[in-house]
Amino acid sequence: MHTVVMILFSFMVLLMFPGIALFYAGMVRSHNALNTTFKCYICLFVISLQWVFVGFSISFGAVNGFDSFSGFFNGLMQYVGLENVTYANDSNYGSDIPFNLFMFFQMLFACLATSIIAGSIVERMKTIAFIIFIVIWTTLIYDPLAHIFWASDGLFATSYRVLDFAGGNVVHISAGVAGLVLALAVGGRLYRKSKPHHIPQTILGGVLLYLGWFGFNCGSNLSLNRITMLVLINTHVSACIGAIAWISCEYIKGKKFSILGAISGAISGLVAITPGCAYVTLSSSLLIGGIGAVVCYFGTSYIKEKLKYDDSLDAFGLHGIGGIWGGIATGIFASTKVNSDGLDGLLYGKTTLFIHHVVAVTGTVLFVAVGSYAIIIVIKQFMRIRVDRRDEKVGLDISFHEEEAYGNEKMRSKSV
């Protein structure tokens, strides 16, 4: 039964790729809808191969600390090319599902992280440069983070017991911070003030993301039991309160509600609850999602404008800021009353978990920021990473793909 459930959860996570593609593509100029979609899907295609050949081995190989270089290297190479990854269970992960299904499920997380990054640089970064970046970034940044937080011998998984159930640090903080660094390196768009060209498409994408998130969070339990149900309910109510909190901020500011704000609030609530969804009570999940939406709203509405950076589709504003809050909040609200496999947080009189989470979040931000900056600087030494000014004006659909999203792109491009 657990195997069937995990296959279903994996398919739900796969739904997040058309979800994020539609969500992002609807928010750009119509001239760039196809290129934005392409950038989201290419992450799935390219990073799946990276994961099969080296990514899974780096992330989940038993490197045995730093006892010896040979031991470290042999552990790092343990699953290269899916060597030793079979139907049989790996006792290090104590699950009832096939080990190769575990590999497949984790593969989708790596692919999704890079798809999130795409939202920060759409409409102006060269696709080849982006592909090179995500391959190197996944190998040098994402995979080591996954090992530290999730591997059976990972530093934060064992020695410091940081609770990152479904990827608050590994997926959302890492992708959000990398997106911010990449946006700063590439520079702002020529048409930064342009409005979304197809909001219904964006809403449809948001709904698919919402649905897929249940596979993302619930599937991280690797089985079907009471914890899975806890995760299901906490995930949903956090998204709901996030949507309400976001549109409440909009109404206080401008006496208007927006449907885009509602779906953005829901996503910020989902991001915030992701690391702690298996460890907190229902009331705590409401606080985490509500506060998460408020901090993400101010991050996208005020901080972004104040600092003048062009994070095109708010990869950092939603995933980076929401993930940072979610990681800290887990250290505050986690309770062994709902999950004995967890730890008690600051709210329950324990400071250790909170301190470890602050250290983990800070370390993740610094590691990803420095590493991402180094990667893009090296790439810039060998190639241009930004499209030509003329191509940006015409739109990347025509200039790079010679395809049209709506059938009249060439006509409109002449008027630019």
Side-chain angles (χ1 to χ4, degrees):
M1 181 183 71
H2 296 308
T3 297
V4 174
V5 169
M6 281 305 301
I7 291 173
L8 176 61
F9 284 149
S10 297
F11 288 164
M12 290 174 69
V13 177
L14 273 171
L15 275 178
M16 299 178 80
F17 290 93
I20 199 168
L22 289 168
F23 184 76
Y24 281 168
M27 288 195 290
V28 299
R29 292 195 307 152
S30 60
H31 303 69
N32 296 309
L34 293 180
N35 184 260
T36 299
T37 301
F38 181 80
K39 280 188 169 71
C40 293
Y41 280 116
I42 200 65
C43 294
L44 175 63
F45 305 147
V46 171
I47 301 305
S48 290
L49 297 178
Q50 185 275 349
W51 190 257
V52 164
F53 289 111
V54 296
F56 183 68
S57 192
I58 296 171
S59 299
F60 292 97
V63 299
N64 301 314
F66 291 93
D67 293 341
S68 67
F69 179 79
S70 60
F72 177 83
F73 183 77
N74 290 336
L76 198 68
M77 301 297 287
Q78 183 178 5
Y79 301 129
V80 166
L82 301 189
E83 183 74 20
N84 303 314
V85 179
T86 65
Y87 184 87
N89 183 39
D90 187 311
S91 59
N92 287 325
Y93 297 98
S95 172
D96 294 327
I97 67 170
F99 191 48
N100 47 13
L101 178 56
F102 172 77
M103 178 281 301
F104 180 77
F105 183 70
Q106 291 294 336
M107 171 198 294
L108 301 178
F109 279 51
C111 297
L112 190 66
T114 53
S115 292
I116 293 170
I117 297 173
S120 65
I121 48 76
V122 294
E123 301 193 285
R124 81 269 201 194
M125 185 174 184
K126 286 191 171 184
T127 302
I128 295 298
F130 176 70
I131 292 172
I132 294 171
F133 175 83
I134 61 172
V135 170
I136 299 174
W137 183 86
T138 304
T139 305
L140 300 182
I141 305 296
Y142 180 91
D143 295 342
L145 275 179
H147 189 97
I148 291 169
F149 282 95
W150 288 337
S152 58
D153 62 346
L155 180 66
F156 285 140
T158 55
S159 300
Y160 292 96
R161 283 301 312 278
V162 172
L163 306 177
D164 188 358
F165 187 75
N169 285 272
V170 180
V171 177
H172 295 291
I173 295 178
S174 68
V177 171
L180 176 61
V181 171
L182 208 54
L184 292 171
V186 177
R189 293 165 291 171
L190 294 179
Y191 299 95
R192 181 177 177 180
K193 300 296 183 180
S194 60
K195 295 182 178 181
H197 86 277
H198 202 310
I199 290 181
Q201 176 177 313
T202 293
I203 302 309
L204 175 59
V207 170
L208 289 175
L209 281 173
Y210 197 140
L211 177 61
W213 222 291
F214 292 111
F216 193 86
N217 283 6
C218 295
S220 294
N221 196 43
L222 303 179
S223 60
L224 182 61
N225 54 32
R226 69 172 190 87
I227 298 299
T228 313
M229 295 299 101
L230 172 71
V231 171
L232 178 75
I233 295 168
N234 281 345
T235 299
H236 181 58
V237 299
S238 183
C240 292
I241 195 67
I244 293 171
W246 189 292
I247 62 175
S248 297
C249 291
E250 288 184 328
Y251 190 79
I252 292 171
K253 179 183 178 182
K255 304 301 179 183
K256 301 286 184 182
F257 297 131
S258 76
I259 184 64
L260 184 57
I263 199 66
S264 297
I267 290 174
S268 63
L270 291 167
V271 172
I273 198 62
T274 290
C277 55
Y279 306 111
V280 302
T281 64
L282 178 63
S283 57
S284 293
S285 68
L286 288 167
L287 285 171
I288 292 171
I291 296 173
V294 172
V295 297
C296 288
Y297 174 81
F298 281 95
T300 57
S301 300
Y302 293 98
I303 298 176
K304 180 179 175 180
E305 291 302 317
K306 188 73 173 179
L307 299 181
K308 304 297 182 185
Y309 63 86
D310 188 13
D311 175 10
S312 310
L313 306 180
D314 295 316
F316 177 71
L318 292 179
H319 298 273
I321 293 176
I324 290 169
W325 161 245
I328 294 172
T330 303
I332 298 172
F333 294 105
S335 171
T336 54
K337 292 180 180 178
V338 295
N339 189 343
S340 58
D341 290 335
L343 297 167
D344 287 321
L346 190 63
L347 184 65
Y348 300 91
K350 306 294 184 180
T351 59
T352 302
L353 182 67
F354 177 72
I355 293 171
H356 288 174
H357 273 242
V358 171
V359 170
V361 167
T362 303
T364 300
V365 170
L366 291 175
F367 174 63
V368 175
V370 173
S372 301
Y373 181 73
I375 292 169
I376 196 61
I377 287 299
V378 170
I379 293 174
K380 287 176 73 173
Q381 304 308 307
F382 297 94
M383 65 185 301
R384 291 186 59 186
I385 63 172
R386 183 167 181 139
V387 301
D388 294 334
R389 188 180 182 89
R390 178 186 175 280
D391 291 335
E392 188 172 349
K393 286 183 176 180
V394 171
L396 305 189
D397 292 357
I398 293 295
S399 58
F400 281 87
H401 303 288
E402 295 186 352
E403 293 178 303
E404 303 170 349
Y406 303 104
N408 60 351
E409 206 71 26
K410 290 180 180 179
M411 183 184 302
R412 282 186 292 185
S413 66
K414 292 178 181 178
S415 65
V416 174

